[in-house]
Amino acid sequence: MQRLAPFLLLFALFVGAASAHAQEYNPETAYSTFRKVCGVCHATDFSMPPRSKDQWTQTIQKMQGLGAKGSPDEFALIIEYLMRREGSVKGGGRGVQAGSADKHLVDFAAAERGRKVWAAECINCHGTQARGGPQGANLVRSEMVLHDRYGSEIIPYLKKGHPLQSGHPISSLTGENLSDVVHFIHEQVYDTLRGSPIFHQQDLLTGDAKAGAAFFNGAGGCTACHSVTGDLAKIGAKYDVPALELRIVSPRNARGPNRPRVTITVTAAGAPPVTGYPAAFDDFTVALRDAQGVYHSWARTPDVKVVKNDPFAAHDALLDKYTDKDMHDLLAYLVTLK
Amino acid sequence: MTTRRFAFILALAAPLFGQVGLDPAKLLEQPTDTWPTYHGDYSGRRFSTLKQINSSNVRTMTLAWMYHASGNPGSIKATPLEINGILYFAAPDHVWAVDARNGREIWTFKWTSKGGTHIGNRGVAVFHDWLYVETPDCHLVSLNIKDGSQRWAVPICDLDQFYYGSLAPTVVHDVLITGVSGDDLDRPGYVSGYNLETGAMKWRFYTVPQKKGDPGSETWPNEEMMKHGGGMTWQPPTYDPALNLLYITTGNPQPVIAHKNREGANLFTACVVALNPDTGKMQWYFQASPHDTHDWDATQVPVLFDADWEGQPRKMLALAARNGYFFVLDRATGKNLLSTPYVKVNWAKGVDKNGSPIPDPAKMPQLDGSLVSPNQGGATNWPPPTFSPQTGLFYVNASRAYSVYYVFDPDANPMGWGGIDEGGATLETMIEAIDYRTGKIRWVHPWQTGSRAGLMSTAGNLLFAGDGSNNVIALDATTGAILWHAGLGSSVSNGPISYELDGEQYVVVGAGETLWAFVMRSK
C-alpha cells in the first residue's frame, strides 16, 4: 500500500466518512461546512482521540461562546462530521474508506446474537472466523458475501436449502436469526481488514530480564542518561507492555508537558546566540520561538550558525545498534520496574 | 445549419483554430513542446531535453502563473499532461483542463462517486481528442478533451472487493493500458488492455497465478492462496517501442504482514514484469522482494535508458525499490546486472543467483516484534525518480527509517493484513544521485524535513525537486548544489514537468491544491 502522509491520514478519515449513510450524509457538504465555520479561527487538520456526541456538543457550545457563527443545522452537521472523522464509532465497516459508500454497516447487537446462531449452526463447517475449512467455503473472501447488503444475497442463497449443523432444515431459522448471522459474517470481513479493532500485539514478554539488565547497565550505555531508581523508577507501571516496547525503541514521538524537545541555537555574526523551539528549518531559512514565545527568523547564510540540540539523537543511534534480542530483553527488564 | 454540417465545417477549419488533440507521433518523441504521458515519455526517465532554463540562468526564472484547483480536491499528486498549450490533470473524482500559458481554467469534470479509497490520483492519458482517467470507485472514464464532456465510463474493478482506481492510464498502439489499486482484502492484482474507442477489455494479465500449473504457481502453497495473493499494479508502466515490451511493476503479496500460509516466493508479486502490450503475454520477470512481508511493493518507476554497461552499449531498466535496493536489468531479457542497497537495510541476507534479495526470516514480522529498516513507508515510495542521460545519474528521494513489525494475528491461516509496523524513527531523508554502473552514491542532498516530491532532470543540467517545508528547488544535476528555490505554501506533491511554448520554457509543479508555473522569459 502506498503509505499516507499524516495529513493525508486525516484526509483519508474525512473521506472515510463517505462510507456511512451516504443518502442522508454528504461528506463534501459536511467538510465544506466544517471548513467554513471552524476554519475562520483555526486549522482544520487537527486530530483528537474519539469523543462522544455529548463531548463534541460541549466543545461546539464552547466555540459558539467564543464567537463561532453558523446555523443550528450547520452545527449539527459539524458534530456529525467530527464524530465520523475522529472515529467515534469504530468497527463493523465504519471508518473504512475502502469499498463502496453504501457498504453493509454492522449492527453490533445483531452480530452478537448472530454469533450464537453461527456457533450452533455454521461454525463446524465455516470456522470460528468464517475463514472456511475442509467442510465449508471461506466466507470472508466470498464474492457473494462482499456483494451482499443486509442479507440481499446471502439469505436467498441459504433459503434454497443450505445445510445446518444441527441437521434441521434451514426453515428452522427465523428471519431474525438469518439477518443476525448475516451481520456476524460481515463483521468477520471487516475484522480482517487493516486497522481492524480486534487486532493488537500478542505476548511481547519473550526476553530475558537478566540479560536486559546487563545490557542496560553495560553495552547499551543507558545509564549515561537514565537511572532505574530515578527517571525510569516506575516505568513498568507507567506504560502498558506494547507502549513500553515502542518507548524503548524510540521515545521521540512521546508528547507531554515535561518532555524534552528538540531546540535550535542560532548565532548570527556579531549577535548573541538565540535558542528556542524550531518553527522552520530548511536549506534557506531557520526560525524559532524563544522562551518568551517571540518569533525570530534568519536567512541561512554562511554567517548564520545553526546548532540543533536533539535530546533523542542518542536513541536514533541505538536503532542501528539494537538487536531484536536486546529490544526484547530490555522490555523484559524494564517491565519489572513497578 | 444542422449541427452535423456545422461540426463538419468546424472539423475542416480546425487547423486554423489550432489543434487540440494529441498527435500519436508525440508519444514516440522526447518531450519538448508536449508532455504527452504521465512520465513525459515512454521511458519513465522524466528527463526534459529543454535547456533554455539551465544551471547558469535558473536564478532568473520567474513566476508565470498559479492555478488553485477548484472543488476542494485534496493534494494534486497527478503529473499533468501538456498538449497543444493545454494542461490536463486529475485528483480523485476531478479532472481539469487549464491554459498552459496563463493558468486559466478551461473546463472541469466532476465524477459522482460511489465510494472507494480517495488517497490520490496520478493523472490522465490522452490520445487524439480523448482523455482517459480512473476513478476511486473503479471506473475508467473517457472525456472529450475539448470540453470535458463524458464519452463513456466502464467498470474496471469491483468496489465491493475493496479495489479502487488511482493510477494514470497509458496508451500503446491502439490499446489503453491500466492497472488497479487496493490491498485491504486478499484479492489478485491485474493490468488490462482496453479498447480506446469503447473501453471494452482486450486482455488482462493477473499478477498472481489463477490456477495450479500457471507460471509462478510453484511459488505458492496452494490455489486458494495464489488466487488471492495480491500484487496490485499501482504504477503507470513504461514501454520500449523497439522491443515492443511493456514494463509493469507489481505490489506486495497478501495477506500482507501475517504470512505463514503463503510459503514461497509468491510470484509475480513485488516484481518487474515485461509484457507484450498488444496481448498482455508475459515475456520475463524479475522479483525485487521474494516473499515480501513488509508491505514493500515494487511499484516504483521502472526507468528505461540505453547506455554503456562494462564497455558495451546496452538497453537497461533501473528500479530504486521500496525495499531499499537499486536494481539494473537488461530490459530485453530481464537479466539482472546490478543489485545493491541504496540505503542501509537490515532485512536481507544478500542476493541470490538471480539478483533477488534473500529475506532474513528473523527480520520478518514477529509476534513479539522485529526492528526493521526500511519502515513500511519504504526507502522510497510512489513519487517518481528521474534519470539524466547527460550525467548518467539516477536521482531518487530516499529515506532511512526503522519501525517494529508485529504479527497481530497468530492464526495458522491469517487473512488481510494480520499485523502492522509501529513506532521507530526516521534517521535521514535525502536526494541520492546514484551512478547506474556501480550503484555508488555520487552525491547526497540531505533534507531537514523529508520530502514526498517527485523529481525531474533536464538537459540544462538541472534537477527539480521539493523539500518537506514547501520549497520547490532546482539543483545542479552534476554536483547537487542548490541553485534556486521558491516557497509555495504547501510542499510539492507531484512530479514536476517542463514544456516549451511560444519559444519559452516552462516548469510546472503541483503543491497541495495549487499548480505553479515558472518560466524563462525570452524578452
Side-chain angles (χ1 to χ4, degrees):
Chain A
M1 123 96 191
Q2 321 264 22
R3 189 171 235 202
L4 313 179
F7 73 95
L8 280 168
L9 262 178
L10 274 177
F11 177 69
L13 281 170
F14 140 59
V15 174
S19 54
H21 302 302
Q23 320 82 288
E24 62 251 34
Y25 175 81
N26 178 337
E28 264 177 57
T29 321
Y31 179 58
S32 59
T33 309
F34 168 64
R35 287 224 314 201
K36 187 186 89 187
V37 175
C38 308
V40 176
C41 295
H42 50 75
T44 51
D45 59 353
F46 58 82
S47 178
M48 300 186 80
R51 310 163 118 216
S52 68
K53 189 166 188 171
D54 282 351
Q55 288 170 314
W56 279 120
T57 308
Q58 279 170 21
T59 306
I60 294 294
Q61 281 164 354
K62 201 167 131 203
M63 294 301 142
Q64 284 169 306
L66 291 170
K69 301 230 169 356
S71 71
D73 278 354
E74 283 177 329
F75 283 116
L77 189 59
I78 290 167
I79 290 170
E80 173 91 13
Y81 166 76
L82 286 168
M83 286 185 58
R84 285 161 190 257
R85 185 178 90 166
E86 304 295 334
S88 298
V89 238
K90 276 251 158 62
R94 293 168 190 82
V96 176
Q97 68 162 324
S100 177
D102 75 343
K103 62 169 72 68
H104 180 117
L105 292 183
V106 173
D107 173 336
F108 295 112
E112 268 323 288
R113 292 192 302 268
R115 184 185 296 278
K116 296 196 184 92
V117 181
W118 183 260
E121 298 293 9
C122 325
I123 199 165
N124 291 350
C125 296
H126 289 289
T128 317
Q129 292 170 286
R131 290 174 181 180
Q135 323 290 326
N138 181 335
L139 299 187
V140 164
R141 290 175 173 177
S142 152
E143 287 182 31
M144 178 193 296
V145 170
L146 295 172
H147 286 142
D148 178 84
R149 299 289 187 281
Y150 308 97
S152 59
E153 311 262 329
I154 299 174
I155 292 176
Y157 169 80
L158 294 178
K159 279 189 169 163
K160 277 191 244 157
H162 203 67
L164 295 180
Q165 94 202 9
S166 63
H168 294 136
I170 189 77
S171 56
S172 67
L173 294 181
T174 66
E176 200 194 14
N177 290 156
L178 290 173
S179 147
D180 290 349
V181 84
V182 163
H183 279 292
F184 172 82
I185 295 170
H186 281 285
E187 189 175 42
Q188 304 315 300
V189 174
Y190 294 127
D191 281 352
T192 306
L193 301 185
R194 172 179 14 191
S196 150
I198 67 159
F199 287 132
H200 49 77
Q201 273 96 336
Q202 302 292 311
D203 180 14
L204 304 185
L205 294 175
T206 55
D208 171 352
K210 267 212 191 97
F215 184 79
F216 189 91
N217 294 308
C222 317
T223 51
C225 304
H226 297 295
S227 148
V228 293
T229 50
D231 68 327
L232 297 185
K234 292 206 162 58
I235 192 81
K238 185 169 168 189
Y239 296 112
D240 64 16
V241 175
L244 181 55
E245 177 150 278
L246 296 179
R247 291 282 88 81
I248 293 169
V249 170
S250 177
R252 188 177 274 285
N253 296 325
R255 295 274 176 273
N258 298 316
R259 298 271 175 195
R261 283 169 66 182
V262 173
T263 62
I264 43 178
T265 302
V266 182
T267 314
V274 188
T275 296
Y277 298 127
F281 189 16
D282 58 32
D283 288 307
F284 316 106
T285 58
V286 56
L288 57 78
R289 265 179 213 288
D290 68 18
Q292 282 71 47
V294 178
Y295 183 91
H296 305 258
S297 82
W298 297 263
R300 291 198 63 192
T301 63
D303 295 344
V304 175
K305 303 275 177 271
V306 185
V307 178
K308 188 168 168 184
N309 321 298
D310 186 345
F312 306 105
H315 267 274
D316 282 357
L318 281 169
L319 291 171
D320 279 329
K321 192 168 146 187
Y322 278 144
T323 62
D324 289 341
K325 180 171 172 2
D326 296 337
M327 177 172 80
H328 299 137
D329 291 347
L330 280 169
L331 179 65
Y333 172 51
L334 294 183
V335 91
T336 63
L337 305 177
K338 289 198 168 148
Chain B
M1 184 161 32
T2 67
T3 24
R4 246 180 96 174
R5 269 193 69 198
F6 183 62
F8 179 69
I9 289 170
L10 263 186
L12 282 180
L16 293 177
F17 292 123
Q19 202 181 337
V20 275
L22 174 68
D23 173 359
K26 289 283 177 197
L27 287 169
L28 299 168
E29 294 171 7
Q30 299 200 324
T32 52
D33 59 348
T34 308
W35 188 280
T37 69
Y38 174 74
H39 295 301
D41 63 19
Y42 279 137
S43 75
R45 293 179 307 181
R46 291 184 177 252
F47 173 77
S48 166
T49 54
L50 300 175
K51 50 184 175 219
Q52 208 179 75
I53 303 173
N54 55 56
S55 50
S56 48
N57 69 6
V58 64
R59 296 190 69 84
T60 60
M61 190 166 80
T62 58
L63 180 66
W65 50 260
M66 57 172 276
Y67 166 72
H68 187 85
S70 48
N72 290 334
S75 260
I76 299 167
K77 295 181 176 177
T79 300
L81 309 191
E82 186 273 323
I83 295 158
N84 297 317
I86 298 176
L87 295 169
Y88 302 94
F89 64 100
D93 301 331
H94 295 265
V95 184
W96 298 267
V98 168
D99 188 328
R101 291 182 170 83
N102 58 25
R104 275 170 205 267
E105 185 174 290
I106 298 170
W107 55 255
T108 69
F109 171 80
K110 175 81 176 47
W111 173 255
T112 304
S113 182
K114 292 192 160 60
T117 302
H118 283 60
I119 186 173
N121 182 293
R122 307 269 179 267
V124 305
V126 168
F127 194 71
H128 287 302
D129 293 336
W130 305 104
L131 179 149
Y132 304 90
V133 64
E134 283 193 2
T135 67
D137 66 3
C138 280
H139 284 83
L140 180 63
V141 182
S142 176
L143 307 180
N144 186 328
I145 63 169
K146 289 183 195 123
D147 55 10
S149 60
Q150 184 177 321
R151 173 166 59 154
W152 45 253
V154 297
I156 56 167
C157 48
D158 182 356
L159 201 53
D160 283 344
Q161 298 183 46
F162 300 96
Y163 287 103
Y164 63 97
S166 72
L167 47 91
T170 305
V171 179
V172 173
H173 302 149
D174 58 349
V175 190
L176 181 72
I177 296 161
T178 198
V180 287
S181 310
D183 60 356
D184 289 270
L185 203 57
D186 312 319
R187 312 319 293 184
Y190 52 84
V191 171
S192 318
Y194 299 93
N195 181 305
L196 282 164
E197 299 306 316
T198 63
M201 192 171 84
K202 293 185 164 196
W203 54 258
R204 174 158 292 177
F205 172 77
Y206 279 97
T207 61
V208 284
Q210 291 302 289
K211 58 178 198 308
K212 261 209 175 104
D214 282 359
S217 58
E218 67 286 359
T219 65
W220 293 88
N222 58 54
E223 202 170 282
E224 165 71 11
M225 292 311 291
M226 64 180 88
K227 261 166 62 179
H228 294 91
M232 291 302 145
T233 45
W234 313 84
Q235 181 70 239
T238 55
Y239 171 63
D240 181 332
L243 295 170
N244 196 32
L245 285 181
L246 182 80
Y247 302 97
I248 67 160
T249 48
T250 66
N252 51 279
Q254 305 264 156
V256 183
I257 304 291
H259 59 97
K260 61 178 150 190
N261 51 355
R262 58 169 172 85
E263 314 87 77
N266 305 146
L267 291 172
F268 299 95
T269 64
C271 281
V272 180
V273 183
L275 300 179
N276 176 310
D278 307 305
T279 62
K281 291 271 173 337
M282 182 171 76
Q283 305 296 305
W284 56 255
Y285 74 90
F286 169 79
Q287 195 168 30
S289 271
H291 191 83
D292 169 65
T293 55
H294 299 102
D295 188 26
W296 293 331
D297 55 54
T299 55
Q300 290 66 55
V301 184
V303 180
L304 316 183
F305 55 90
D306 299 348
D308 177 84
W309 182 263
E310 292 176 350
Q312 301 292 323
R314 199 135 190 183
K315 286 170 165 288
M316 288 177 281
L317 177 156
L319 179 81
R322 183 161 165 179
N323 65 15
Y325 272 82
F326 178 71
F327 300 104
V328 180
L329 310 177
D330 178 315
R331 73 171 182 272
T333 61
K335 183 182 160 16
N336 173 276
L337 303 176
L338 180 75
S339 298
T340 183
Y342 61 96
V343 296
K344 193 175 157 191
V345 301
N346 76 351
W347 63 275
K349 301 204 285 189
V351 296
D352 67 16
K353 63 179 190 333
N354 304 319
S356 297
I358 305 164
D360 178 354
K363 287 295 172 186
M364 292 178 183
Q366 307 290 335
L367 287 168
D368 57 358
S370 178
L371 187 59
V372 179
S373 186
N375 66 2
Q376 193 197 350
T380 194
N381 206 297
W382 68 268
T386 178
F387 176 82
S388 163
Q390 264 178 11
T391 62
L393 295 174
F394 184 106
Y395 307 89
V396 62
N397 249 321
S399 152
R400 193 162 90 81
Y402 279 90
S403 63
V404 188
Y405 275 82
Y406 294 102
V407 170
F408 288 168
D409 184 354
D411 198 272
N413 190 21
M415 276 162 212
W417 278 62
I420 199 72
D421 74 324
E422 301 228 353
T426 300
L427 305 185
E428 3 170 26
T429 59
M430 61 239 149
I431 293 184
E432 290 185 348
I434 304 174
D435 183 337
Y436 76 87
R437 282 166 300 215
T438 57
K440 296 249 154 51
I441 316 286
R442 193 75 74 72
W443 57 257
V444 169
H445 181 79
W447 302 121
Q448 289 292 342
T449 43
S451 168
R452 298 285 285 185
L455 303 175
M456 172 182 66
S457 56
T458 75
N461 190 33
L462 291 172
L463 174 66
F464 286 90
D467 67 11
S469 50
N470 304 346
N471 295 297
V472 55
I473 299 173
L475 299 92
D476 181 307
T478 310
T479 65
I482 288 185
L483 302 175
W484 170 89
H485 76 281
L488 303 182
S490 286
S491 292
V492 173
S493 49
N494 72 344
I497 67 166
S498 190
Y499 53 86
E500 187 176 32
L501 271 182
D502 318 313
E504 295 178 333
Q505 186 186 350
Y506 289 74
V507 171
V508 172
V509 295
E513 293 187 340
T514 307
L515 272 193
W516 296 82
F518 299 91
V519 66
M520 183 61 74
R521 293 292 180 211
S522 50
K523 47 190 175 307

mmCIF file of all heavy atoms in Angstrom, chain B residues 144-162:
data_model
loop_
_atom_site.group_PDB
_atom_site.id
_atom_site.type_symbol
_atom_site.label_atom_id
_atom_site.label_comp_id
_atom_site.label_asym_id
_atom_site.label_seq_id
_atom_site.Cartn_x
_atom_site.Cartn_y
_atom_site.Cartn_z
ATOM 1 N N ASN B 144 -14.134 13.990 -23.628
ATOM 2 C CA ASN B 144 -13.736 14.757 -24.802
ATOM 3 C C ASN B 144 -12.809 15.880 -24.312
ATOM 4 O O ASN B 144 -13.196 16.666 -23.442
ATOM 5 C CB ASN B 144 -14.998 15.343 -25.448
ATOM 6 C CG ASN B 144 -14.685 16.043 -26.754
ATOM 7 O OD1 ASN B 144 -13.608 16.618 -26.918
ATOM 8 N ND2 ASN B 144 -15.627 15.992 -27.679
ATOM 9 N N ILE B 145 -11.608 15.968 -24.852
ATOM 10 C CA ILE B 145 -10.680 16.962 -24.290
ATOM 11 C C ILE B 145 -11.079 18.395 -24.653
ATOM 12 O O ILE B 145 -10.570 19.340 -24.065
ATOM 13 C CB ILE B 145 -9.201 16.729 -24.679
ATOM 14 C CG1 ILE B 145 -8.982 16.838 -26.172
ATOM 15 C CG2 ILE B 145 -8.694 15.429 -24.137
ATOM 16 C CD1 ILE B 145 -7.495 16.884 -26.510
ATOM 17 N N LYS B 146 -11.987 18.565 -25.590
ATOM 18 C CA LYS B 146 -12.378 19.937 -25.940
ATOM 19 C C LYS B 146 -13.182 20.595 -24.830
ATOM 20 O O LYS B 146 -13.034 21.770 -24.557
ATOM 21 C CB LYS B 146 -13.200 19.946 -27.228
ATOM 22 C CG LYS B 146 -12.339 19.619 -28.426
ATOM 23 C CD LYS B 146 -13.134 19.697 -29.715
ATOM 24 C CE LYS B 146 -12.355 19.018 -30.814
ATOM 25 N NZ LYS B 146 -13.102 17.946 -31.458
ATOM 26 N N ASP B 147 -14.084 19.805 -24.205
ATOM 27 C CA ASP B 147 -14.971 20.428 -23.221
ATOM 28 C C ASP B 147 -15.149 19.601 -21.953
ATOM 29 O O ASP B 147 -15.927 19.970 -21.077
ATOM 30 C CB ASP B 147 -16.346 20.699 -23.852
ATOM 31 C CG ASP B 147 -16.958 19.442 -24.451
ATOM 32 O OD1 ASP B 147 -16.400 18.347 -24.202
ATOM 33 O OD2 ASP B 147 -17.965 19.548 -25.166
ATOM 34 N N GLY B 148 -14.459 18.475 -21.848
ATOM 35 C CA GLY B 148 -14.576 17.665 -20.637
ATOM 36 C C GLY B 148 -15.864 16.878 -20.565
ATOM 37 O O GLY B 148 -16.198 16.334 -19.517
ATOM 38 N N SER B 149 -16.603 16.802 -21.681
ATOM 39 C CA SER B 149 -17.857 16.032 -21.626
ATOM 40 C C SER B 149 -17.536 14.540 -21.650
ATOM 41 O O SER B 149 -16.571 14.101 -22.280
ATOM 42 C CB SER B 149 -18.769 16.417 -22.786
ATOM 43 O OG SER B 149 -18.116 16.147 -24.009
ATOM 44 N N GLN B 150 -18.383 13.785 -20.966
ATOM 45 C CA GLN B 150 -18.116 12.355 -20.816
ATOM 46 C C GLN B 150 -18.549 11.585 -22.044
ATOM 47 O O GLN B 150 -19.665 11.750 -22.528
ATOM 48 C CB GLN B 150 -18.864 11.854 -19.576
ATOM 49 C CG GLN B 150 -18.586 10.393 -19.270
ATOM 50 C CD GLN B 150 -19.273 9.948 -17.993
ATOM 51 O OE1 GLN B 150 -19.334 10.695 -17.018
ATOM 52 N NE2 GLN B 150 -19.791 8.736 -17.994
ATOM 53 N N ARG B 151 -17.643 10.738 -22.571
ATOM 54 C CA ARG B 151 -17.988 9.876 -23.704
ATOM 55 C C ARG B 151 -18.534 8.547 -23.194
ATOM 56 O O ARG B 151 -19.577 8.099 -23.591
ATOM 57 C CB ARG B 151 -16.757 9.662 -24.584
ATOM 58 C CG ARG B 151 -16.987 8.647 -25.684
ATOM 59 C CD ARG B 151 -15.929 8.630 -26.773
ATOM 60 N NE ARG B 151 -14.586 8.348 -26.328
ATOM 61 C CZ ARG B 151 -13.642 7.801 -27.110
ATOM 62 N NH1 ARG B 151 -13.922 7.486 -28.359
ATOM 63 N NH2 ARG B 151 -12.423 7.592 -26.665
ATOM 64 N N TRP B 152 -17.790 7.914 -22.290
ATOM 65 C CA TRP B 152 -18.268 6.670 -21.684
ATOM 66 C C TRP B 152 -17.552 6.443 -20.360
ATOM 67 O O TRP B 152 -16.554 7.116 -20.049
ATOM 68 C CB TRP B 152 -18.099 5.449 -22.588
ATOM 69 C CG TRP B 152 -16.781 5.266 -23.311
ATOM 70 C CD1 TRP B 152 -16.573 5.447 -24.650
ATOM 71 C CD2 TRP B 152 -15.512 4.847 -22.763
ATOM 72 N NE1 TRP B 152 -15.251 5.178 -24.970
ATOM 73 C CE2 TRP B 152 -14.585 4.792 -23.827
ATOM 74 C CE3 TRP B 152 -15.061 4.498 -21.490
ATOM 75 C CZ2 TRP B 152 -13.248 4.428 -23.661
ATOM 76 C CZ3 TRP B 152 -13.721 4.129 -21.316
ATOM 77 C CH2 TRP B 152 -12.827 4.108 -22.402
ATOM 78 N N ALA B 153 -18.085 5.524 -19.563
ATOM 79 C CA ALA B 153 -17.437 5.092 -18.333
ATOM 80 C C ALA B 153 -17.664 3.601 -18.236
ATOM 81 O O ALA B 153 -18.790 3.134 -18.413
ATOM 82 C CB ALA B 153 -18.053 5.794 -17.126
ATOM 83 N N VAL B 154 -16.589 2.852 -18.011
ATOM 84 C CA VAL B 154 -16.736 1.392 -17.872
ATOM 85 C C VAL B 154 -16.128 0.962 -16.542
ATOM 86 O O VAL B 154 -15.140 1.525 -16.101
ATOM 87 C CB VAL B 154 -16.053 0.621 -19.032
ATOM 88 C CG1 VAL B 154 -16.705 0.945 -20.361
ATOM 89 C CG2 VAL B 154 -14.555 0.912 -19.075
ATOM 90 N N PRO B 155 -16.743 -0.049 -15.893
ATOM 91 C CA PRO B 155 -16.152 -0.557 -14.654
ATOM 92 C C PRO B 155 -14.881 -1.344 -14.959
ATOM 93 O O PRO B 155 -14.842 -2.087 -15.938
ATOM 94 C CB PRO B 155 -17.239 -1.471 -14.076
ATOM 95 C CG PRO B 155 -18.162 -1.767 -15.201
ATOM 96 C CD PRO B 155 -17.996 -0.717 -16.251
ATOM 97 N N ILE B 156 -13.826 -1.144 -14.167
ATOM 98 C CA ILE B 156 -12.588 -1.917 -14.369
ATOM 99 C C ILE B 156 -12.223 -2.728 -13.144
ATOM 100 O O ILE B 156 -11.244 -3.468 -13.150
ATOM 101 C CB ILE B 156 -11.409 -1.005 -14.755
ATOM 102 C CG1 ILE B 156 -11.195 0.089 -13.702
ATOM 103 C CG2 ILE B 156 -11.625 -0.402 -16.130
ATOM 104 C CD1 ILE B 156 -9.875 0.816 -13.861
ATOM 105 N N CYS B 157 -12.969 -2.566 -12.057
ATOM 106 C CA CYS B 157 -12.707 -3.396 -10.881
ATOM 107 C C CYS B 157 -13.961 -3.401 -10.013
ATOM 108 O O CYS B 157 -14.918 -2.681 -10.289
ATOM 109 C CB CYS B 157 -11.478 -2.917 -10.096
ATOM 110 S SG CYS B 157 -11.354 -1.149 -9.732
ATOM 111 N N ASP B 158 -13.944 -4.222 -8.964
ATOM 112 C CA ASP B 158 -15.127 -4.404 -8.123
ATOM 113 C C ASP B 158 -14.892 -3.703 -6.787
ATOM 114 O O ASP B 158 -14.058 -4.110 -5.990
ATOM 115 C CB ASP B 158 -15.375 -5.904 -7.922
ATOM 116 C CG ASP B 158 -16.620 -6.179 -7.086
ATOM 117 O OD1 ASP B 158 -17.253 -5.213 -6.588
ATOM 118 O OD2 ASP B 158 -16.967 -7.364 -6.925
ATOM 119 N N LEU B 159 -15.657 -2.626 -6.592
ATOM 120 C CA LEU B 159 -15.538 -1.829 -5.374
ATOM 121 C C LEU B 159 -15.811 -2.671 -4.126
ATOM 122 O O LEU B 159 -15.174 -2.491 -3.083
ATOM 123 C CB LEU B 159 -16.565 -0.702 -5.477
ATOM 124 C CG LEU B 159 -16.396 0.555 -4.654
ATOM 125 C CD1 LEU B 159 -15.025 1.154 -4.868
ATOM 126 C CD2 LEU B 159 -17.475 1.558 -5.054
ATOM 127 N N ASP B 160 -16.749 -3.624 -4.238
ATOM 128 C CA ASP B 160 -17.093 -4.466 -3.081
ATOM 129 C C ASP B 160 -15.935 -5.380 -2.672
ATOM 130 O O ASP B 160 -15.917 -5.899 -1.571
ATOM 131 C CB ASP B 160 -18.320 -5.330 -3.392
ATOM 132 C CG ASP B 160 -19.607 -4.517 -3.316
ATOM 133 O OD1 ASP B 160 -19.571 -3.415 -2.743
ATOM 134 O OD2 ASP B 160 -20.628 -4.997 -3.837
ATOM 135 N N GLN B 161 -14.987 -5.591 -3.600
ATOM 136 C CA GLN B 161 -13.808 -6.387 -3.241
ATOM 137 C C GLN B 161 -12.669 -5.477 -2.786
ATOM 138 O O GLN B 161 -11.516 -5.894 -2.728
ATOM 139 C CB GLN B 161 -13.375 -7.254 -4.414
ATOM 140 C CG GLN B 161 -14.433 -8.267 -4.825
ATOM 141 C CD GLN B 161 -13.963 -9.161 -5.945
ATOM 142 O OE1 GLN B 161 -12.848 -9.675 -5.925
ATOM 143 N NE2 GLN B 161 -14.808 -9.345 -6.954
ATOM 144 N N PHE B 162 -12.993 -4.213 -2.542
ATOM 145 C CA PHE B 162 -12.060 -3.230 -1.993
ATOM 146 C C PHE B 162 -10.949 -2.827 -2.962
ATOM 147 O O PHE B 162 -9.898 -2.334 -2.558
ATOM 148 C CB PHE B 162 -11.475 -3.697 -0.644
ATOM 149 C CG PHE B 162 -12.530 -3.915 0.395
ATOM 150 C CD1 PHE B 162 -13.058 -5.172 0.625
ATOM 151 C CD2 PHE B 162 -13.040 -2.846 1.118
ATOM 152 C CE1 PHE B 162 -14.067 -5.375 1.564
ATOM 153 C CE2 PHE B 162 -14.043 -3.036 2.054
ATOM 154 C CZ PHE B 162 -14.558 -4.300 2.287
#
